[in-house]
Amino acid sequence: MSHRAYVEVDLAAIAHNVSTIKASTDAKILAVVKADAYGHGIVPVAQTALSSGATWLGVALLEEAITLRKAGISDPIISWLTPPGDDFVAALRHDIDLSVSSVGLLHEIVEAGKSLGVKPRIHIEVDTGMRRGGLLQEWNLFLSELLAQKDLCHVVGLWTHFARADEPDSSATLEQEKVFESYLSDMTSAGITPEIIHLSNSAATLNFPSAHKNMVRLGISMYGLSPDVSTMGSSSKYQLKPAMTLKGKLSLIKKAAAGSAVGYGGTAILESDTHLGIVVLGYSDGIPRNANNQAGVWINGNRAPIVGRVSMDQFVVNLGATTTAKAGDYVTVFGAEGYSIDEWASACSTINYEIVTRIASRVERIYVN
Ligand SMILES: *Cc1c(COP(=O)(O)O)cnc(C)c1O
């Protein structure tokens, strides 16, 4: 192959992960495909999720939703991060459900609906404890405004987001669920009954069945990764299969002597004579610059740890005193064999979400299965 590096996405793994979770719940499945499907590629992942049991798609940004529509996808899509001034007319033309978490936004969306003569489909987000998105102090005012606009919009959903669902032993999630119930009863008492109530991300879906309600929003678990390895264990515990493998070519192999200082700042000193391999991927491709030697690559059945700092377009690995590797060979940076995404995350002091999401668009995606 001629690619210097590529991401291989196993669509069968995505399909397996969706159907595995679908089999464990009565709730509808919303596949979260924001951030280019966590770096896996928004359109192929959305199509795979829909053909394996998901019936809804969720994205953060409006432009992500429009990308899905332009690819011919007609299933329901929610966009939940639309700041004031977004192009709501375009959103409604594309039949995209919008999340609303302020009175101001409700008015903007209703105005856009009036200009087109359509009723916007909205999902109301309430803040049940995370103190990020969602209605909080405006709730009562919002309800009365909503009642006043009742005929001008279609309230499809009421939803919230959990802050600590990846802690199976914490009471925080159940407390948020309780706060949610009180928002729901305020709404139904006011005569508005949302068809869909959705609270659960992957962690809540795996840890808190009571919070499934009638739809769950699957992100990281659909990509075959655990929401938190330290509190929940790795994804294999849940029969989930990681879908992403990152590969890159060795551009050069060289012998270097014990005592050599490798890379910018000379931060790594070789302990013995060895072969160094230069991998054509760097921090501009999304390899974190702070990756330490607990991460590395897999080549011909062996682990080759990182040596020194990651550069913009390349990093160096230690292939050992004897090696069968050749310049031009592909190494597996992370994936099914060798280093896992979770090991890379730990070596970079981050989480698996960030490792997959930050792989740059200049690294081509290739789909298998
Ligand atoms: C990203 C996101 C999710 C998915 O979270 P995971 O932990 O990846 O499952 C669900 N809901 C909302 C609102 C999100 O922003």
Side-chain angles (χ1 to χ4, degrees):
M1 248 197 296
S2 61
H3 300 98
R4 54 109 198 175
Y6 61 97
V7 164
E8 188 178 275
V9 178
D10 181 354
L11 293 174
I14 304 242
H16 163 87
N17 298 331
V18 172
S19 49
T20 299
I21 292 179
K22 189 177 169 62
S24 72
T25 181
D26 293 330
K28 295 180 205 293
I29 306 281
L30 175 147
V32 179
V33 293
K34 65 191 179 191
D36 201 26
Y38 292 38
H40 295 66
I42 186 166
V43 171
V45 168
Q47 288 165 336
T48 302
L50 290 168
S51 61
S52 35
T55 50
W56 282 72
L57 298 172
V59 292
L61 311 182
L62 194 48
E63 51 266 40
E64 296 171 325
I66 291 173
T67 297
L68 292 166
R69 285 285 182 259
K70 288 191 169 158
I73 293 171
S74 57
D75 304 72
I77 302 173
I78 312 178
S79 167
W80 54 65
L81 202 62
T82 51
D86 259 10
D87 190 348
F88 296 112
V89 168
L92 300 178
R93 283 213 172 100
H94 286 287
D95 197 21
I96 291 158
D97 289 23
L98 295 165
S99 174
V100 183
S101 45
S102 70
V103 170
L105 204 66
L106 176 68
H107 287 149
E108 267 193 54
I109 292 171
V110 164
E111 283 309 309
K114 276 191 203 161
S115 76
L116 291 175
V118 301
K119 275 194 190 183
R121 290 168 48 92
I122 63 171
H123 296 247
I124 295 156
E125 183 188 4
V126 287
D127 182 347
T128 56
M130 184 161 174
R131 300 296 178 268
R132 194 183 64 178
L135 282 149
L136 189 62
Q137 81 289 348
E138 267 193 337
W139 175 243
N140 290 320
L141 174 65
F142 183 88
L143 259 191
S144 57
E145 292 292 313
L146 185 64
L147 282 172
Q149 315 278 342
K150 212 167 78 181
D151 300 327
L152 295 173
C153 60
H154 177 177
V155 179
V156 180
L158 181 70
W159 72 283
T160 194
H161 195 56
F162 292 129
R164 300 178 60 180
D166 53 0
E167 299 170 47
D169 300 328
S170 162
S171 57
T173 300
L174 298 175
E175 278 159 25
Q176 281 195 255
E177 195 184 336
K178 220 179 280 169
V179 175
F180 183 86
E181 302 292 351
S182 80
Y183 281 114
L184 180 62
S185 80
D186 288 353
M187 233 173 128
T188 49
S189 314
I192 300 172
T193 308
E195 294 138 50
I196 303 186
I197 54 179
H198 47 104
L199 294 72
S200 293
N201 54 6
S202 295
T205 304
L206 297 170
N207 293 328
F208 297 96
S210 72
H212 290 188
K213 311 305 179 199
N214 51 14
M215 185 160 80
V216 295
R217 304 186 303 266
L218 299 186
I220 201 77
S221 57
M222 177 172 69
Y223 303 100
L225 299 172
S226 168
D228 186 321
V229 182
S230 60
T231 56
M232 294 176 58
S234 75
S235 63
S236 59
K237 184 175 154 195
Y238 306 93
Q239 281 77 53
L240 301 171
K241 296 182 188 162
M244 185 188 284
T245 296
L246 174 62
K247 298 198 182 201
K249 270 185 183 172
L250 291 170
S251 59
L252 184 67
I253 291 179
K254 63 176 55 165
K255 280 188 187 167
S260 304
V262 180
Y264 284 120
T267 57
I269 311 288
L270 295 181
E271 282 173 12
S272 52
D273 294 359
T274 193
H275 291 89
L276 297 176
I278 318 307
V279 182
V280 208
L281 279 163
Y283 60 77
S284 70
D285 297 298
I287 303 291
R289 182 173 175 276
N290 68 340
N292 67 28
N293 64 4
Q294 298 302 302
V297 303
W298 179 254
I299 169 85
N300 296 343
N302 294 301
R303 285 179 177 236
I306 292 184
V307 191
R309 283 189 190 142
V310 172
S311 304
M312 187 182 293
D313 310 288
Q314 48 196 324
F315 65 91
V316 180
V317 295
N318 191 339
L319 295 167
T322 57
T323 181
T324 54
K326 303 182 302 302
D329 284 353
Y330 281 107
V331 298
T332 299
V333 179
F334 52 71
E337 37 173 39
Y339 292 88
S340 67
I341 292 166
D342 291 325
E343 282 177 287
W344 265 89
S346 151
C348 303
S349 310
T350 185
I351 53 174
N352 52 25
Y353 291 73
E354 191 178 358
I355 296 292
V356 290
T357 305
R358 61 185 285 158
I359 301 301
S361 59
R362 82 175 195 179
V363 182
E364 188 157 348
R365 270 64 175 170
I366 290 176
Y367 296 92
V368 297
N369 302 327

